[in-house]
Amino acid sequence: MHKPTFFWQTWSCVVKLHVLILSVGCLLAIASDTKAAMRQYSANADTSHWTLDKTTRLSCELNHEVPYYGDAIFSSTASKNKDLTFNLDMVVRPESYDFAGLQSVPPVWRAGNPVRDISKMQLLKKFDGELDNSIAWEMLTELEKGNYPTFYYKDWQNSSDQISVALSSVNFRDMYWAFLQCRDNLLPYSFEDIAFTVMNYKKNSSMLTKSSRKRLEMIGEYLKNDENIESIYISAYSDSYGGRNTNMVLSRKRADTIKRYMEEMGVPSEKVRTDGFGEKRHVEPNDNALGRRKNRRVIIQIAKS
């Protein structure tokens, strides 16, 4: 009498076990498909390298190669604020407009730590990805803590794929410290700050005023560090006191003095052109001391390639 009951109980267990096996198989298949749809790019412990480039007083770059993807670049340039920028230099640039999510992901040996959202990065068609000062600093601090700033976005080449791009914190700290030192040594002004300069002279002299001498020293320090100077044009002027010929000679002497200084800073002579205009082209009336002081001037215009 108990055999049919036993048979159906046994068959029920077999069916449930079979369903369970099928369910597990489906979950594994889904997981496998999900993993296959996520193309991941990141350096491992052996291939994770950080390098410091362009260590002049004009720019510093902290570079990290992401194998088979491109380069992650943190950079600062000479300026008052020395702001930081981040550039994701992709070998294959976007084919459409979108956003990439940015998260701080703990390394595998800290798997219990939570993933944290940082920001989003706009993806522009045919352009590399860029982030501004505040987000770039946050990424650096996450790397310093040993985490992996990671970008996620939908692939524009294959709509069924997701892309993951991680910055490895392995071998990061020493180069990060070198980058911070390089950044600290950057000039506190940029090319735009010295490209057009008006300086003034003492009366009947080729000697600049105190404030103008400081300005010229700034220009000289910049020129020592920039190899891309294309041309410099120096034009000098005088007030109307004294004879016209005397003032013409004086203005030319002033321009030539500045040119010699530029050459001492490493600028080739052929890149520097000078003119002396004497009493011509006054910018203020000459009937008062302030006006005459403004007319005793030299204008420096610098262009770079």
Side-chain angles (χ1 to χ4, degrees):
M1 293 178 63
H2 298 290
K3 286 184 179 181
T5 303
F6 175 77
F7 171 79
W8 287 114
Q9 288 177 341
T10 303
W11 175 252
S12 176
C13 290
V14 170
V15 171
K16 289 180 180 178
L17 179 60
H18 184 63
V19 171
L20 178 61
I21 291 172
L22 287 175
S23 300
V24 172
C26 289
L27 290 173
L28 290 174
I30 292 170
S32 177
D33 288 344
T34 303
K35 186 175 182 181
M38 176 68 78
R39 302 212 311 273
Q40 299 175 322
Y41 298 92
S42 178
N44 58 34
D46 294 325
T47 60
S48 179
H49 302 291
W50 290 85
T51 59
L52 183 62
D53 297 329
K54 296 186 178 181
T55 57
T56 68
R57 296 199 68 193
L58 301 182
S59 66
C60 302
E61 287 190 358
L62 181 62
N63 293 353
H64 175 63
E65 181 182 355
V66 181
Y68 307 107
Y69 183 86
D71 293 282
I73 305 168
F74 295 91
S75 59
S76 282
T77 57
S79 65
K80 181 179 179 181
N81 297 323
K82 303 178 184 179
D83 282 344
L84 184 70
T85 59
F86 172 78
N87 178 264
L88 188 60
D89 186 358
M90 313 173 195
V91 173
V92 180
R93 292 183 175 88
E95 292 290 345
S96 59
Y97 298 90
D98 204 345
F99 284 91
L102 173 59
Q103 295 181 326
S104 175
V105 179
V108 291
W109 57 89
R110 296 180 185 168
N113 292 356
V115 173
R116 188 174 70 83
D117 290 329
I118 296 178
S119 183
K120 290 182 178 180
M121 180 177 69
Q122 189 172 13
L123 298 174
L124 301 176
K125 186 175 181 179
K126 300 300 183 182
F127 283 89
D128 292 328
E130 294 184 356
L131 291 170
D132 61 14
N133 183 68
S134 60
I135 304 302
W137 276 116
E138 190 168 354
M139 292 173 66
L140 286 177
T141 57
E142 291 301 314
L143 283 162
E144 187 179 15
K145 291 187 290 188
N147 295 324
Y148 286 43
T150 304
F151 295 94
Y152 297 94
Y153 59 89
K154 188 174 183 179
D155 186 20
W156 46 83
Q157 301 288 358
N158 187 337
S159 59
S160 66
D161 282 5
Q162 296 287 324
I163 302 294
S164 165
V165 184
L167 279 59
S168 170
S169 59
V170 176
N171 301 320
F172 170 75
R173 274 180 170 267
D174 287 345
M175 282 298 101
Y176 179 44
W177 174 240
F179 173 75
L180 291 178
Q181 291 176 307
C182 177
R183 179 181 173 276
D184 185 58
N185 195 44
L186 291 174
L187 294 176
Y189 48 89
S190 65
F191 174 76
E192 286 72 22
D193 295 323
I194 57 93
F196 184 89
T197 301
V198 179
M199 298 184 297
N200 300 104
Y201 287 91
K202 294 182 178 180
K203 184 178 179 181
N204 297 324
S205 171
S206 293
M207 184 176 293
L208 292 166
T209 61
K210 184 177 180 180
S211 60
S212 292
R213 287 199 305 272
K214 289 183 178 179
R215 183 72 177 175
L216 184 60
E217 289 172 1
M218 284 175 56
I219 296 173
E221 191 62 35
Y222 184 93
L223 294 176
K224 286 194 298 184
N225 288 278
D226 195 336
E227 299 177 351
N228 298 314
I229 299 300
E230 186 175 296
S231 64
I232 300 176
Y233 177 51
I234 305 167
S235 54
Y237 308 82
S238 71
D239 59 28
S240 61
Y241 273 52
R244 288 189 177 181
N245 288 337
T246 300
N247 285 334
M248 181 64 74
V249 171
L250 181 59
S251 65
R252 289 174 179 170
K253 181 180 178 181
R254 287 168 173 170
D256 289 339
T257 300
I258 300 295
K259 178 179 179 178
R260 287 194 296 272
Y261 176 79
M262 301 292 186
E263 293 170 350
E264 291 173 2
M265 295 299 104
V267 179
S269 176
E270 63 272 16
K271 291 187 175 183
V272 185
R273 184 166 68 91
T274 63
D275 273 321
F277 293 97
E279 299 179 13
K280 299 177 182 178
R281 304 178 185 177
H282 286 160
V283 293
E284 293 288 341
N286 275 280
D287 56 2
N288 61 79
L290 181 60
R292 292 191 294 272
R293 182 177 183 275
K294 290 184 177 181
N295 288 330
R296 296 190 302 268
R297 71 196 189 279
V298 61
I299 298 176
I300 301 175
Q301 300 174 73
I302 306 174
K304 63 185 296 184
S305 54

